[in-house]
Amino acid sequence: MIGIAKQIVRTLTEAGHKAYFAGGCVRDMLMDREPKDFDIATSALPEQIEKLFSQTYAVGKAFGVMHVVEEGHTFEIATFRSDSGYSDGRRPDAVIFTHAEDDAQRRDFTINGLFYDPLADEILDFIGGRDDLSNKLIRFIGDPHQRILEDHLRIIRAIRFKNTLGFGYHPDTYAALKKHAPLADKVSWERVRDELNKIIMARRAEVAFEDMQDTGVLPYVLPELEACKGVAQPPEYHHEGDVWTHLMQALTSLPEDATLNQHWAVILHDIGKPETFKIAERIRFDRHSEVSAELGEKILRRLCFSRKDIDEITWAVRHHFMMTELLNMEIGKQRQWFLDPRFPTLMQLFYADAMGTTPSSLHLYNQVKAAQEDCLRRFPELPKPLLTGEDVMKNLGLKAGPRVGEILQEAFVKQLGHELQTREEALEWLSTVTHST
Ligand code: ATP
Ligand code: MG
């Protein structure tokens, strides 16, 4: 991919423009990490970019942001710009197309403000980013207070980069985060979600959550998680400590190939414990799985997750306490559980829950795993779906298309989860489905 990106820079340069790799990819290259994508910053204007490449898409033409597709890869090419006037705390009121140095100044952190000229093999550092990279420092470009007031998401981004990269905060950065933490409340939930997703998929997620708590950001981002701090668990079963510690220990025990939904299932699996805490013969959290699933659904809806993801995550949360029940089921019923497309998420949650507990035991988990393997060896087939595409189209008056597939998938998941057991029930459910998502 780097070869194609370099070719794009060459094309722009040969047409008389300045063009460099910019931002995250330069940071990653200097850290010997594989960049996820190569963004290019250039003096060329959108109309000029359009003329130089055959496949271009204007994603934010007013901001000078274009996508160029070359050899099947999409690259973001953005005209050097300077932003001015952030009256909504999110995006600039106006942009001015300018030169590279100004473009560096508008970026968030020094380590994200570097350019690289791949033709000359040269770094362009207008903001002291190289020094901060070698000192592993997160430092705002310019005045941290003003930069946070311009775009409040930068509070969460600072915490994200510090922890995903394993860096530290510059003292001025830290002070500004603490001072402005309540502004995190005004960030749109979609943007919060995207940052949270990156945080929880990286190592050190537990330190990132500590940081959010310590700076005072967490009550505005995930108050339900904050509420788990300091809530005791029965010491006879949980030597690790409070609910928060258990959740963090479970989160860090997930294997590297765990999916995003599996991570969320782990974070949310005991989120209902503070609400259900009671003292009987010992500390108990009766019905905490259901309460966690309900609260989890509320959280995921707020964060604008898709219906399908919410269903998978909350299904696993709701059933995370049933390993013994599963082992005692008759095999026909067991099989339906094991074949459920959401089951791998539940399995991962069983694992993380056990590992997140001290002393931890994988005894039950291994039994479930063995039962699953045995069952799938004996009955590898999925049942026949109760509904057909024809049913969906006829009953809802829909034309063939992705929405039909989505509805069929949803029905099949419900069928495997025993919510729909007969064709009549499935048709009945179908009549309650709306056309759009
Ligand atoms: P990642 O590896 O997570 O993609 P990245 O540095 O590429 O990290 P992006 O969110 O993709 O981060 O943004 C690309 C670049 O755009 C950043 O490196 C930074 O220079 C700039 N940038 C992105 N978001 C902001 C923001 N909210 N404020 C200022 N600059 C930003
Ligand atoms: Mg990026």
Side-chain angles (χ1 to χ4, degrees):
M1 206 157 56
I2 184 167
I4 314 171
K6 188 169 169 182
Q7 190 51 48
I8 294 175
V9 168
R10 182 169 289 126
T11 304
L12 287 159
T13 308
E14 282 171 1
H17 306 291
K18 295 226 172 347
Y20 310 116
F21 292 178
C25 63
V26 183
R27 175 199 69 219
D28 290 343
M29 283 163 68
L30 288 171
M31 288 181 72
D32 276 328
R33 293 159 65 112
E34 181 87 32
K36 276 202 305 281
D37 40 34
F38 289 88
D39 296 339
I40 293 160
T42 178
S43 59
L45 298 169
E47 303 74 50
Q48 295 170 317
I49 298 169
E50 261 167 359
K51 288 204 187 98
L52 285 170
F53 301 93
S54 54
Q55 236 187 312
T56 59
Y57 302 90
V59 277
K61 217 169 177 178
F63 295 91
V65 183
M66 304 288 288
H67 278 177
V68 169
V69 181
E70 291 279 304
E71 298 178 38
H73 296 281
T74 303
F75 297 86
E76 188 175 297
I77 307 189
T79 309
F80 295 139
R81 69 173 198 261
S82 127
D83 302 332
S84 67
Y86 283 78
S87 46
D88 65 353
R90 180 164 71 103
R91 56 165 84 190
D93 302 329
V95 308
I96 302 158
F97 293 138
T98 173
H99 45 80
E101 184 164 356
D102 280 352
D103 189 71
Q105 297 290 345
R106 74 161 173 94
R107 294 172 185 269
D108 46 10
F109 309 107
T110 55
I111 57 161
N112 285 349
L114 292 163
F115 297 114
Y116 173 67
D117 177 348
L119 307 179
D121 185 22
E122 208 172 70
I123 297 283
L124 285 86
D125 183 1
F126 300 108
I127 36 55
R130 284 196 94 157
D131 283 348
D132 285 345
L133 255 188
S134 53
N135 289 320
K136 297 185 179 251
L137 270 185
I138 302 296
R139 185 206 306 247
F140 279 99
I141 296 173
D143 174 43
H145 301 283
Q146 192 198 331
R147 303 312 309 278
I148 290 176
L149 291 174
E150 284 170 3
D151 179 358
H152 316 325
L153 182 75
R154 291 173 186 155
I155 299 171
I156 308 171
R157 283 175 65 86
I159 296 174
R160 193 239 302 176
F161 283 114
K162 179 261 192 186
N163 289 294
T164 54
L165 301 174
F167 281 23
Y169 301 112
H170 185 280
D172 297 343
T173 305
Y174 181 72
L177 296 183
K178 279 200 119 156
K179 173 155 188 222
H180 299 294
L183 291 177
D185 197 30
K186 295 196 190 157
V187 182
S188 80
W189 288 112
E190 286 93 337
R191 296 180 89 202
V192 170
R193 174 201 57 210
D194 291 347
E195 290 299 322
L196 283 180
N197 285 346
K198 288 185 179 171
I199 286 172
I200 70 173
M201 289 301 278
R203 288 179 303 144
R204 290 180 279 268
E206 75 289 3
V207 190
F209 282 122
E210 276 308 333
D211 281 10
M212 282 193 242
Q213 218 257 331
D214 166 55
T215 50
V217 173
L218 198 58
Y220 303 100
V221 171
L222 214 48
E224 298 85 352
L225 183 62
E226 167 109 356
C228 294
K229 194 127 202 176
V231 175
Q233 304 189 101
E236 53 274 53
Y237 300 112
H238 287 281
H239 298 187
E240 75 276 12
D242 63 9
V243 180
W244 169 281
T245 312
H246 168 62
L247 289 176
M248 295 303 143
Q249 189 171 317
L251 186 60
T252 48
S253 67
L254 275 172
E256 238 169 67
D257 62 356
T259 64
L260 181 63
N261 283 355
Q262 291 167 357
H263 279 81
W264 273 105
V266 171
I267 292 184
L268 299 176
H269 81 280
D270 278 349
I271 206 89
K273 274 186 171 175
E275 229 175 272
T276 52
F277 179 95
K278 86 168 183 216
I279 301 171
E281 78 289 1
R282 63 165 172 87
I283 294 174
R284 305 197 63 91
F285 303 102
D286 294 342
R287 285 193 67 248
H288 80 270
S289 306
E290 288 101 283
V291 176
S292 298
E294 281 155 25
L295 199 51
E297 173 161 358
K298 219 176 92 196
I299 295 168
L300 295 168
R301 273 176 189 270
R302 185 173 76 210
L303 290 167
C304 311
F305 275 74
S306 74
R307 267 206 339 217
K308 189 163 175 289
D309 290 335
I310 295 177
D311 175 65
E312 176 184 328
I313 297 165
T314 56
W315 182 83
V317 169
R318 187 177 300 277
H319 298 117
H320 82 266
F321 224 59
M322 60 172 293
M323 280 200 280
T324 314
E325 194 184 325
L326 200 52
L327 286 168
N328 292 328
M329 274 178 199
E330 50 121 343
I331 190 140
K333 209 162 163 220
Q334 248 186 9
R335 171 173 162 263
Q336 292 183 304
W337 282 89
F338 293 150
L339 287 172
D340 192 301
R342 298 166 294 189
F343 194 74
T345 297
L346 180 56
M347 215 38 201
Q348 201 72 273
L349 177 52
F350 285 153
Y351 174 83
D353 193 10
M355 296 301 288
T357 304
T358 308
S360 63
S361 159
L362 287 176
H363 181 68
L364 268 179
Y365 171 81
N366 285 331
Q367 277 184 294
V368 174
K369 197 157 175 248
Q372 183 197 21
E373 279 160 13
D374 177 56
C375 179
L376 295 186
R377 210 170 26 243
R378 286 159 62 190
F379 309 102
E381 299 278 302
L382 284 169
K384 195 163 168 274
L386 294 168
L387 294 179
T388 65
E390 191 81 340
D391 293 329
V392 175
M393 291 188 282
K394 222 169 73 202
N395 283 274
L396 297 183
L398 275 175
K399 290 212 182 74
R403 183 68 190 129
V404 175
E406 271 173 36
I407 296 171
L408 280 177
Q409 170 72 17
E410 204 176 322
F412 195 50
V413 165
K414 288 190 182 294
Q415 178 182 346
L416 291 168
H418 344 292
E419 283 169 61
L420 301 176
Q421 307 211 5
T422 64
R423 188 167 153 76
E424 287 65 43
E425 280 176 15
L427 287 169
E428 165 88 41
W429 169 80
L430 190 57
S431 68
T432 67
V433 173
T434 49
H435 295 209
S436 52
T437 38

